[in-house]
Amino acid sequence: MDDTLVLCRLLHYGSGLLLFGISAFQGWLAPQHLACSLDAALARIVSVAAFIGLLSAVAWLLLASGEMGDGWSDVWNPSTWYAVLTDTEFGRVWQIHLLLAAALVSFLMSGWGRYWRFVAVLSAVYLGSLGFVGHAVMLQGAAGRVSRASHVVHLLAGGFWLGALIPLALCLGKFADTGLRSDVSRALQRFSGLGHFAVAAVIASGIINVALVLGRWPTNVSSPYQLLLLLKMGLVAVMVGLAIVNRYVLVPSLKNSENALRSLRRSTLLELALGVCVVAVVSLFGTLPPQ
Ligand code: HEM
């Protein structure tokens, strides 16, 4: 059951991070003309992400019922689902989370007219509500409030960074189109501007998470939790390195070099692939005892 839960968490965190990042990019970073040219492709991606989000949210509830109950028999037992939803802190948060997931799917399935900003706000609340489950709620009182707030900031900053990499890679494919080139340049500038804050916020909130969830710096590599946390931090360090090269080497030379455009696209896709690995690693170690 643990492996199924880890896969379910990966799909759930991954789809939530993408939903928020893509809609924030389309809603606030892409100039009108460019946003219209990316609309159809990104609308398909967010619809699939919302659907995966709803399915994995239901699966997470069933698996949590099995974990809190007597194993697989309680995974399929509606009265255990009801007890988990009504009698546990996780369940009370999950009621709201499931409603938000269903609202996103129904809105994106209706003729939603591409209100990307509304989708960004709705998916921000949906993604942020994950900051009220798991190890984020281990602590109570003031420390508990800081831990929940830090997890919310962590998820939104991580979502902006990772999710926006998909429209960014797509819009680099439009750089050759002279009609869209200035829009693409403006979107790149806006992303790298806000991107600095997102990277700083995800690292700062990550350090706060380490302090509150683990209570010490991860140095004990014989602890699976600490080893995986160190692996995650290493992956993020490589992503930051790529982001710096993209911003300060490749983007400035875009106008004069075809090579720079190709390298920037490859590097952006590599950054995204590393991001998926980061979410996979945390989907695993978030289920382990933080010691
Ligand atoms: C691209 C950057 C990052 C992304 C996308 C990301 C993603 C996530 C996600 C989805 C969670 C929630 C998991 C859960 O609640 O179980 C999480 C938790 C966490 N993250 Fe990150 N993270 C990033 C960077 C970092 C960094 C740089 C650090 C450390 C400095 C860090 C440390 C943590 C810790 C300690 C937790 C709590 C895990 C637990 O619940 O036991 N993260 N991260």
Side-chain angles (χ1 to χ4, degrees):
M1 191 182 307
D2 291 350
D3 300 349
T4 320
L5 180 61
V6 171
L7 177 64
C8 179
R9 286 165 50 89
L10 170 59
L11 292 173
H12 198 64
Y13 282 117
S15 56
L17 295 166
L18 287 190
L19 251 173
F20 173 61
I22 291 173
S23 48
F25 184 96
Q26 279 290 84
W28 282 285
L29 303 190
Q32 188 57 36
H33 197 31
L34 175 64
C36 290
S37 74
L38 297 172
D39 250 0
L42 293 175
R44 270 194 299 279
I45 296 174
V46 291
S47 302
V48 171
F51 206 65
I52 291 173
L54 179 57
L55 283 185
S56 56
V58 172
W60 192 332
L61 169 65
L62 272 57
L63 291 166
S65 302
E67 296 245 322
M68 295 180 195
D70 289 336
W72 284 105
S73 60
D74 276 319
V75 168
W76 309 112
N77 183 344
S79 59
T80 313
W81 309 341
Y82 182 76
V84 169
L85 280 171
T86 52
D87 302 344
T88 69
E89 183 178 350
F90 164 82
R92 285 185 285 276
V93 172
W94 220 244
Q95 288 180 36
I96 299 164
H97 192 66
L98 280 167
L99 279 177
L100 290 164
L104 272 164
V105 167
S106 13
F107 184 75
L108 291 169
M109 292 301 150
S110 70
W112 57 292
R114 305 291 188 262
Y115 293 114
W116 286 104
R117 290 185 177 184
F118 177 73
V119 176
V121 171
L122 193 57
S123 53
V125 180
Y126 163 72
L127 181 61
S129 64
L130 288 171
F132 296 87
V133 297
H135 292 153
V137 298
M138 274 177 6
L139 300 169
Q140 301 309 322
R145 284 189 290 281
V146 173
S147 178
R148 289 163 177 78
S150 171
H151 270 79
V152 171
V153 169
H154 197 65
L155 289 160
L156 295 181
F160 177 82
W161 182 4
L162 284 196
L165 290 174
I166 289 191
L168 203 70
L170 285 180
C171 77
L172 287 173
K174 303 202 179 263
F175 193 78
D177 177 339
T178 47
L180 285 171
R181 180 167 290 195
S182 64
D183 274 10
V184 173
S185 304
R186 216 170 326 133
L188 286 174
Q189 271 160 16
R190 289 175 181 170
F191 173 74
S192 55
L194 279 174
H196 284 88
F197 290 106
V199 173
V202 87
I203 293 173
S205 57
I207 293 169
I208 294 171
N209 292 352
V210 171
L212 292 174
V213 173
L214 184 61
R216 46 167 298 176
W217 199 245
T219 51
N220 174 7
V221 291
S222 64
S223 142
Y225 184 92
Q226 295 187 39
L227 186 62
L228 289 166
L229 177 53
L230 282 171
L231 172 63
K232 179 185 178 185
M233 292 157 88
L235 288 167
V236 175
V238 178
M239 289 174 69
V240 171
L242 282 173
I244 290 170
V245 171
N246 293 352
R247 171 64 186 79
Y248 294 103
V249 180
L250 297 175
V251 168
S253 34
L254 265 185
K255 285 203 173 57
N256 336 317
S257 149
E258 270 296 310
N259 263 345
L261 180 62
R262 265 196 303 280
S263 310
L264 182 57
R265 240 182 144 208
R266 262 199 309 270
S267 170
T268 303
L269 291 174
L270 178 58
E271 206 181 322
L272 183 61
L274 288 170
V276 173
C277 298
V278 163
V279 180
V281 170
V282 76
S283 296
L284 171 56
F285 79 75
T287 64
L288 303 175
Q291 58 201 12

PDB file of all heavy atoms in Angstrom, residues 9 13 135 151 154-155 161-162 202 206-207 209-210 213 225 229 232-233 236 239 278 282 285-286, ligand 1:
ATOM      1  N   ARG A   9       0.724  10.242  -4.305  1.00  0.00           N
ATOM      2  CA  ARG A   9       1.221  11.556  -3.877  1.00  0.00           C
ATOM      3  C   ARG A   9       1.967  12.245  -5.015  1.00  0.00           C
ATOM      4  O   ARG A   9       1.813  13.454  -5.236  1.00  0.00           O
ATOM      5  CB  ARG A   9       2.148  11.395  -2.677  1.00  0.00           C
ATOM      6  CG  ARG A   9       1.451  11.075  -1.359  1.00  0.00           C
ATOM      7  CD  ARG A   9       2.440  10.584  -0.305  1.00  0.00           C
ATOM      8  NE  ARG A   9       3.594  11.432  -0.168  1.00  0.00           N
ATOM      9  CZ  ARG A   9       3.674  12.479   0.649  1.00  0.00           C
ATOM     10  NH1 ARG A   9       2.653  12.797   1.405  1.00  0.00           N
ATOM     11  NH2 ARG A   9       4.767  13.200   0.739  1.00  0.00           N
ATOM     12  N   TYR A  13       0.689  15.800  -6.128  1.00  0.00           N
ATOM     13  CA  TYR A  13       1.526  17.007  -6.002  1.00  0.00           C
ATOM     14  C   TYR A  13       1.924  17.514  -7.387  1.00  0.00           C
ATOM     15  O   TYR A  13       1.839  18.706  -7.680  1.00  0.00           O
ATOM     16  CB  TYR A  13       2.778  16.713  -5.173  1.00  0.00           C
ATOM     17  CG  TYR A  13       2.535  16.672  -3.689  1.00  0.00           C
ATOM     18  CD1 TYR A  13       2.729  15.505  -2.962  1.00  0.00           C
ATOM     19  CD2 TYR A  13       2.110  17.807  -3.011  1.00  0.00           C
ATOM     20  CE1 TYR A  13       2.500  15.470  -1.594  1.00  0.00           C
ATOM     21  CE2 TYR A  13       1.871  17.785  -1.647  1.00  0.00           C
ATOM     22  CZ  TYR A  13       2.068  16.605  -0.951  1.00  0.00           C
ATOM     23  OH  TYR A  13       1.823  16.590   0.405  1.00  0.00           O
ATOM     24  N   HIS A 135       3.212  15.947   7.371  1.00  0.00           N
ATOM     25  CA  HIS A 135       4.128  16.383   8.440  1.00  0.00           C
ATOM     26  C   HIS A 135       3.961  17.864   8.758  1.00  0.00           C
ATOM     27  O   HIS A 135       4.397  18.326   9.816  1.00  0.00           O
ATOM     28  CB  HIS A 135       5.574  16.103   8.035  1.00  0.00           C
ATOM     29  CG  HIS A 135       5.906  14.644   7.962  1.00  0.00           C
ATOM     30  ND1 HIS A 135       6.894  14.152   7.143  1.00  0.00           N
ATOM     31  CD2 HIS A 135       5.362  13.564   8.580  1.00  0.00           C
ATOM     32  CE1 HIS A 135       6.963  12.835   7.269  1.00  0.00           C
ATOM     33  NE2 HIS A 135       6.035  12.457   8.139  1.00  0.00           N
ATOM     34  N   HIS A 151       4.707  25.542   4.670  1.00  0.00           N
ATOM     35  CA  HIS A 151       4.375  24.521   3.652  1.00  0.00           C
ATOM     36  C   HIS A 151       3.535  25.127   2.531  1.00  0.00           C
ATOM     37  O   HIS A 151       3.723  24.788   1.362  1.00  0.00           O
ATOM     38  CB  HIS A 151       3.626  23.343   4.294  1.00  0.00           C
ATOM     39  CG  HIS A 151       4.529  22.256   4.782  1.00  0.00           C
ATOM     40  ND1 HIS A 151       5.215  22.347   5.972  1.00  0.00           N
ATOM     41  CD2 HIS A 151       4.887  21.071   4.229  1.00  0.00           C
ATOM     42  CE1 HIS A 151       5.934  21.251   6.137  1.00  0.00           C
ATOM     43  NE2 HIS A 151       5.752  20.462   5.104  1.00  0.00           N
ATOM     44  N   HIS A 154       5.840  27.109   0.422  1.00  0.00           N
ATOM     45  CA  HIS A 154       6.713  26.152  -0.257  1.00  0.00           C
ATOM     46  C   HIS A 154       6.025  25.566  -1.495  1.00  0.00           C
ATOM     47  O   HIS A 154       6.601  25.510  -2.573  1.00  0.00           O
ATOM     48  CB  HIS A 154       7.056  25.032   0.729  1.00  0.00           C
ATOM     49  CG  HIS A 154       8.230  24.203   0.348  1.00  0.00           C
ATOM     50  ND1 HIS A 154       9.499  24.701   0.284  1.00  0.00           N
ATOM     51  CD2 HIS A 154       8.320  22.901   0.015  1.00  0.00           C
ATOM     52  CE1 HIS A 154      10.328  23.736  -0.071  1.00  0.00           C
ATOM     53  NE2 HIS A 154       9.632  22.639  -0.245  1.00  0.00           N
ATOM     54  N   LEU A 155       4.769  25.166  -1.315  1.00  0.00           N
ATOM     55  CA  LEU A 155       4.019  24.546  -2.418  1.00  0.00           C
ATOM     56  C   LEU A 155       3.731  25.558  -3.531  1.00  0.00           C
ATOM     57  O   LEU A 155       3.899  25.249  -4.712  1.00  0.00           O
ATOM     58  CB  LEU A 155       2.712  23.954  -1.878  1.00  0.00           C
ATOM     59  CG  LEU A 155       2.862  22.716  -1.006  1.00  0.00           C
ATOM     60  CD1 LEU A 155       1.628  22.485  -0.146  1.00  0.00           C
ATOM     61  CD2 LEU A 155       3.168  21.499  -1.859  1.00  0.00           C
ATOM     62  N   TRP A 161       7.478  27.938  -9.876  1.00  0.00           N
ATOM     63  CA  TRP A 161       8.757  27.645 -10.548  1.00  0.00           C
ATOM     64  C   TRP A 161       8.604  26.486 -11.515  1.00  0.00           C
ATOM     65  O   TRP A 161       8.846  26.615 -12.716  1.00  0.00           O
ATOM     66  CB  TRP A 161       9.825  27.346  -9.487  1.00  0.00           C
ATOM     67  CG  TRP A 161      11.201  27.069 -10.024  1.00  0.00           C
ATOM     68  CD1 TRP A 161      11.632  27.129 -11.330  1.00  0.00           C
ATOM     69  CD2 TRP A 161      12.354  26.681  -9.268  1.00  0.00           C
ATOM     70  NE1 TRP A 161      12.965  26.796 -11.417  1.00  0.00           N
ATOM     71  CE2 TRP A 161      13.434  26.528 -10.166  1.00  0.00           C
ATOM     72  CE3 TRP A 161      12.584  26.459  -7.902  1.00  0.00           C
ATOM     73  CZ2 TRP A 161      14.712  26.151  -9.745  1.00  0.00           C
ATOM     74  CZ3 TRP A 161      13.864  26.083  -7.488  1.00  0.00           C
ATOM     75  CH2 TRP A 161      14.912  25.931  -8.404  1.00  0.00           C
ATOM     76  N   LEU A 162       8.149  25.332 -11.025  1.00  0.00           N
ATOM     77  CA  LEU A 162       8.078  24.134 -11.869  1.00  0.00           C
ATOM     78  C   LEU A 162       6.994  24.243 -12.936  1.00  0.00           C
ATOM     79  O   LEU A 162       7.219  23.974 -14.108  1.00  0.00           O
ATOM     80  CB  LEU A 162       7.779  22.901 -11.011  1.00  0.00           C
ATOM     81  CG  LEU A 162       8.885  22.304 -10.180  1.00  0.00           C
ATOM     82  CD1 LEU A 162       8.509  20.911  -9.723  1.00  0.00           C
ATOM     83  CD2 LEU A 162      10.170  22.279 -10.967  1.00  0.00           C
ATOM     84  N   VAL A 202      11.084  29.171  -2.189  1.00  0.00           N
ATOM     85  CA  VAL A 202      11.024  27.711  -2.035  1.00  0.00           C
ATOM     86  C   VAL A 202      12.214  27.226  -1.204  1.00  0.00           C
ATOM     87  O   VAL A 202      12.073  26.287  -0.405  1.00  0.00           O
ATOM     88  CB  VAL A 202      10.953  27.014  -3.420  1.00  0.00           C
ATOM     89  CG1 VAL A 202      12.310  26.768  -4.010  1.00  0.00           C
ATOM     90  CG2 VAL A 202      10.193  25.711  -3.357  1.00  0.00           C
ATOM     91  N   GLY A 206      11.809  25.817   2.468  1.00  0.00           N
ATOM     92  CA  GLY A 206      12.361  24.473   2.595  1.00  0.00           C
ATOM     93  C   GLY A 206      13.222  24.347   3.850  1.00  0.00           C
ATOM     94  O   GLY A 206      13.125  23.363   4.595  1.00  0.00           O
ATOM     95  N   ILE A 207      14.039  25.380   4.086  1.00  0.00           N
ATOM     96  CA  ILE A 207      14.894  25.374   5.282  1.00  0.00           C
ATOM     97  C   ILE A 207      14.033  25.429   6.557  1.00  0.00           C
ATOM     98  O   ILE A 207      14.296  24.711   7.533  1.00  0.00           O
ATOM     99  CB  ILE A 207      15.905  26.536   5.223  1.00  0.00           C
ATOM    100  CG1 ILE A 207      16.906  26.279   4.078  1.00  0.00           C
ATOM    101  CG2 ILE A 207      16.635  26.715   6.548  1.00  0.00           C
ATOM    102  CD1 ILE A 207      17.802  27.455   3.736  1.00  0.00           C
ATOM    103  N   ASN A 209      10.991  24.259   6.767  1.00  0.00           N
ATOM    104  CA  ASN A 209      10.412  22.905   6.869  1.00  0.00           C
ATOM    105  C   ASN A 209      11.404  21.938   7.518  1.00  0.00           C
ATOM    106  O   ASN A 209      11.034  21.138   8.373  1.00  0.00           O
ATOM    107  CB  ASN A 209      10.033  22.378   5.483  1.00  0.00           C
ATOM    108  CG  ASN A 209       8.872  23.122   4.860  1.00  0.00           C
ATOM    109  OD1 ASN A 209       8.244  23.943   5.522  1.00  0.00           O
ATOM    110  ND2 ASN A 209       8.624  22.853   3.598  1.00  0.00           N
ATOM    111  N   VAL A 210      12.688  22.027   7.102  1.00  0.00           N
ATOM    112  CA  VAL A 210      13.716  21.152   7.696  1.00  0.00           C
ATOM    113  C   VAL A 210      13.784  21.403   9.203  1.00  0.00           C
ATOM    114  O   VAL A 210      13.755  20.471  10.010  1.00  0.00           O
ATOM    115  CB  VAL A 210      15.101  21.415   7.054  1.00  0.00           C
ATOM    116  CG1 VAL A 210      16.195  20.682   7.821  1.00  0.00           C
ATOM    117  CG2 VAL A 210      15.118  21.000   5.594  1.00  0.00           C
ATOM    118  N   VAL A 213      10.143  20.240  10.775  1.00  0.00           N
ATOM    119  CA  VAL A 213       9.736  18.828  10.632  1.00  0.00           C
ATOM    120  C   VAL A 213      10.827  17.890  11.147  1.00  0.00           C
ATOM    121  O   VAL A 213      10.566  16.957  11.905  1.00  0.00           O
ATOM    122  CB  VAL A 213       9.395  18.507   9.157  1.00  0.00           C
ATOM    123  CG1 VAL A 213       9.151  17.008   8.971  1.00  0.00           C
ATOM    124  CG2 VAL A 213       8.184  19.301   8.689  1.00  0.00           C
ATOM    125  N   TYR A 225      15.004   9.050   5.626  1.00  0.00           N
ATOM    126  CA  TYR A 225      14.382  10.377   5.486  1.00  0.00           C
ATOM    127  C   TYR A 225      15.451  11.429   5.172  1.00  0.00           C
ATOM    128  O   TYR A 225      15.327  12.203   4.222  1.00  0.00           O
ATOM    129  CB  TYR A 225      13.630  10.761   6.763  1.00  0.00           C
ATOM    130  CG  TYR A 225      12.876  12.058   6.678  1.00  0.00           C
ATOM    131  CD1 TYR A 225      11.541  12.095   6.278  1.00  0.00           C
ATOM    132  CD2 TYR A 225      13.494  13.271   6.975  1.00  0.00           C
ATOM    133  CE1 TYR A 225      10.851  13.296   6.182  1.00  0.00           C
ATOM    134  CE2 TYR A 225      12.830  14.476   6.875  1.00  0.00           C
ATOM    135  CZ  TYR A 225      11.510  14.484   6.481  1.00  0.00           C
ATOM    136  OH  TYR A 225      10.831  15.674   6.377  1.00  0.00           O
ATOM    137  N   LEU A 229      16.132  13.552   1.769  1.00  0.00           N
ATOM    138  CA  LEU A 229      16.064  15.014   1.856  1.00  0.00           C
ATOM    139  C   LEU A 229      17.331  15.637   1.272  1.00  0.00           C
ATOM    140  O   LEU A 229      17.281  16.601   0.520  1.00  0.00           O
ATOM    141  CB  LEU A 229      15.862  15.447   3.308  1.00  0.00           C
ATOM    142  CG  LEU A 229      15.827  16.940   3.606  1.00  0.00           C
ATOM    143  CD1 LEU A 229      14.822  17.682   2.744  1.00  0.00           C
ATOM    144  CD2 LEU A 229      15.552  17.192   5.088  1.00  0.00           C
ATOM    145  N   LYS A 232      17.153  15.430  -2.416  1.00  0.00           N
ATOM    146  CA  LYS A 232      16.253  16.481  -2.926  1.00  0.00           C
ATOM    147  C   LYS A 232      16.980  17.827  -2.979  1.00  0.00           C
ATOM    148  O   LYS A 232      16.913  18.538  -3.979  1.00  0.00           O
ATOM    149  CB  LYS A 232      15.018  16.585  -2.028  1.00  0.00           C
ATOM    150  CG  LYS A 232      14.044  17.643  -2.453  1.00  0.00           C
ATOM    151  CD  LYS A 232      12.906  17.790  -1.462  1.00  0.00           C
ATOM    152  CE  LYS A 232      11.993  18.892  -1.890  1.00  0.00           C
ATOM    153  NZ  LYS A 232      10.929  19.175  -0.940  1.00  0.00           N
ATOM    154  N   MET A 233      17.697  18.160  -1.891  1.00  0.00           N
ATOM    155  CA  MET A 233      18.406  19.440  -1.857  1.00  0.00           C
ATOM    156  C   MET A 233      19.477  19.496  -2.939  1.00  0.00           C
ATOM    157  O   MET A 233      19.673  20.528  -3.575  1.00  0.00           O
ATOM    158  CB  MET A 233      19.005  19.643  -0.465  1.00  0.00           C
ATOM    159  CG  MET A 233      17.924  19.852   0.604  1.00  0.00           C
ATOM    160  SD  MET A 233      18.474  19.442   2.231  1.00  0.00           S
ATOM    161  CE  MET A 233      19.164  20.995   2.746  1.00  0.00           C
ATOM    162  N   VAL A 236      17.764  20.188  -6.271  1.00  0.00           N
ATOM    163  CA  VAL A 236      17.358  21.596  -6.362  1.00  0.00           C
ATOM    164  C   VAL A 236      18.569  22.497  -6.615  1.00  0.00           C
ATOM    165  O   VAL A 236      18.494  23.455  -7.381  1.00  0.00           O
ATOM    166  CB  VAL A 236      16.593  22.039  -5.096  1.00  0.00           C
ATOM    167  CG1 VAL A 236      16.278  23.527  -5.137  1.00  0.00           C
ATOM    168  CG2 VAL A 236      15.308  21.240  -4.935  1.00  0.00           C
ATOM    169  N   MET A 239      19.188  22.435 -10.188  1.00  0.00           N
ATOM    170  CA  MET A 239      18.153  23.235 -10.873  1.00  0.00           C
ATOM    171  C   MET A 239      18.469  24.732 -10.769  1.00  0.00           C
ATOM    172  O   MET A 239      18.331  25.468 -11.739  1.00  0.00           O
ATOM    173  CB  MET A 239      16.785  22.964 -10.247  1.00  0.00           C
ATOM    174  CG  MET A 239      16.204  21.612 -10.539  1.00  0.00           C
ATOM    175  SD  MET A 239      14.680  21.351  -9.611  1.00  0.00           S
ATOM    176  CE  MET A 239      13.588  22.527 -10.414  1.00  0.00           C
ATOM    177  N   VAL A 278      12.465  15.837  -8.095  1.00  0.00           N
ATOM    178  CA  VAL A 278      12.327  16.442  -6.758  1.00  0.00           C
ATOM    179  C   VAL A 278      10.976  16.065  -6.151  1.00  0.00           C
ATOM    180  O   VAL A 278      10.887  15.634  -5.000  1.00  0.00           O
ATOM    181  CB  VAL A 278      12.463  17.983  -6.837  1.00  0.00           C
ATOM    182  CG1 VAL A 278      11.930  18.667  -5.590  1.00  0.00           C
ATOM    183  CG2 VAL A 278      13.907  18.381  -7.074  1.00  0.00           C
ATOM    184  N   VAL A 282      10.232  13.741  -2.784  1.00  0.00           N
ATOM    185  CA  VAL A 282       9.487  14.201  -1.608  1.00  0.00           C
ATOM    186  C   VAL A 282       8.188  13.419  -1.440  1.00  0.00           C
ATOM    187  O   VAL A 282       7.702  13.238  -0.312  1.00  0.00           O
ATOM    188  CB  VAL A 282       9.225  15.731  -1.656  1.00  0.00           C
ATOM    189  CG1 VAL A 282       8.124  16.086  -2.615  1.00  0.00           C
ATOM    190  CG2 VAL A 282       8.918  16.267  -0.267  1.00  0.00           C
ATOM    191  N   PHE A 285       9.727  10.557   0.674  1.00  0.00           N
ATOM    192  CA  PHE A 285      10.190  10.784   2.049  1.00  0.00           C
ATOM    193  C   PHE A 285       9.141  11.468   2.917  1.00  0.00           C
ATOM    194  O   PHE A 285       9.218  11.385   4.148  1.00  0.00           O
ATOM    195  CB  PHE A 285      11.564  11.470   2.107  1.00  0.00           C
ATOM    196  CG  PHE A 285      11.640  12.944   1.899  1.00  0.00           C
ATOM    197  CD1 PHE A 285      11.251  13.833   2.886  1.00  0.00           C
ATOM    198  CD2 PHE A 285      12.187  13.467   0.728  1.00  0.00           C
ATOM    199  CE1 PHE A 285      11.384  15.209   2.711  1.00  0.00           C
ATOM    200  CE2 PHE A 285      12.328  14.832   0.551  1.00  0.00           C
ATOM    201  CZ  PHE A 285      11.915  15.697   1.544  1.00  0.00           C
ATOM    202  N   GLY A 286       8.109  12.086   2.272  1.00  0.00           N
ATOM    203  CA  GLY A 286       7.015  12.661   3.061  1.00  0.00           C
ATOM    204  C   GLY A 286       6.181  11.590   3.760  1.00  0.00           C
ATOM    205  O   GLY A 286       5.374  11.901   4.642  1.00  0.00           O
TER     206      GLY A 286
HETATM  207  C1  HEM B   1      11.908  22.937  -6.867  1.00  0.00           C
HETATM  208  C2  HEM B   1      12.018  23.018  -5.567  1.00  0.00           C
HETATM  209  C3  HEM B   1      11.136  22.258  -4.597  1.00  0.00           C
HETATM  210  C4  HEM B   1       9.914  21.666  -4.791  1.00  0.00           C
HETATM  211  C5  HEM B   1       9.098  21.567  -6.071  1.00  0.00           C
HETATM  212  C6  HEM B   1       9.490  21.095  -3.506  1.00  0.00           C
HETATM  213  C7  HEM B   1       8.314  20.402  -3.319  1.00  0.00           C
HETATM  214  C8  HEM B   1       7.849  19.976  -2.088  1.00  0.00           C
HETATM  215  C9  HEM B   1       6.552  19.364  -1.850  1.00  0.00           C
HETATM  216  C10 HEM B   1       5.516  19.056  -2.916  1.00  0.00           C
HETATM  217  C11 HEM B   1       6.464  19.113  -0.512  1.00  0.00           C
HETATM  218  C12 HEM B   1       5.250  18.570   0.250  1.00  0.00           C
HETATM  219  C13 HEM B   1       5.445  17.218   0.613  1.00  0.00           C
HETATM  220  C14 HEM B   1       4.629  16.838   1.842  1.00  0.00           C
HETATM  221  O1  HEM B   1       3.985  17.713   2.446  1.00  0.00           O
HETATM  222  O2  HEM B   1       4.696  15.659   2.171  1.00  0.00           O
HETATM  223  C15 HEM B   1       7.706  19.519   0.082  1.00  0.00           C
HETATM  224  C16 HEM B   1       8.008  19.359   1.418  1.00  0.00           C
HETATM  225  C17 HEM B   1       9.240  19.603   1.928  1.00  0.00           C
HETATM  226  N1  HEM B   1      10.317  20.214   1.298  1.00  0.00           N
HETATM  227 FE1  HEM B   1      10.391  20.792  -0.620  1.00  0.00          FE
HETATM  228  N2  HEM B   1      10.459  21.351  -2.569  1.00  0.00           N
HETATM  229  C18 HEM B   1      11.475  22.058  -3.184  1.00  0.00           C
HETATM  230  C19 HEM B   1      12.645  22.516  -2.601  1.00  0.00           C
HETATM  231  C20 HEM B   1      13.007  22.222  -1.308  1.00  0.00           C
HETATM  232  C21 HEM B   1      14.269  22.619  -0.701  1.00  0.00           C
HETATM  233  C22 HEM B   1      15.364  23.421  -1.419  1.00  0.00           C
HETATM  234  C23 HEM B   1      14.284  22.118   0.582  1.00  0.00           C
HETATM  235  C24 HEM B   1      15.330  22.217   1.662  1.00  0.00           C
HETATM  236  C25 HEM B   1      16.128  23.245   1.801  1.00  0.00           C
HETATM  237  C26 HEM B   1      12.996  21.425   0.783  1.00  0.00           C
HETATM  238  C27 HEM B   1      12.637  20.784   1.967  1.00  0.00           C
HETATM  239  C28 HEM B   1      11.370  20.243   2.190  1.00  0.00           C
HETATM  240  C29 HEM B   1      10.943  19.633   3.453  1.00  0.00           C
HETATM  241  C30 HEM B   1      11.803  19.446   4.704  1.00  0.00           C
HETATM  242  C31 HEM B   1       9.616  19.245   3.291  1.00  0.00           C
HETATM  243  C32 HEM B   1       8.705  18.532   4.327  1.00  0.00           C
HETATM  244  C33 HEM B   1       8.695  17.073   3.978  1.00  0.00           C
HETATM  245  C34 HEM B   1       7.848  16.293   4.962  1.00  0.00           C
HETATM  246  O3  HEM B   1       6.634  16.506   4.961  1.00  0.00           O
HETATM  247  O4  HEM B   1       8.434  15.516   5.730  1.00  0.00           O
HETATM  248  N3  HEM B   1      12.259  21.505  -0.374  1.00  0.00           N
HETATM  249  N4  HEM B   1       8.544  20.047  -0.894  1.00  0.00           N
END
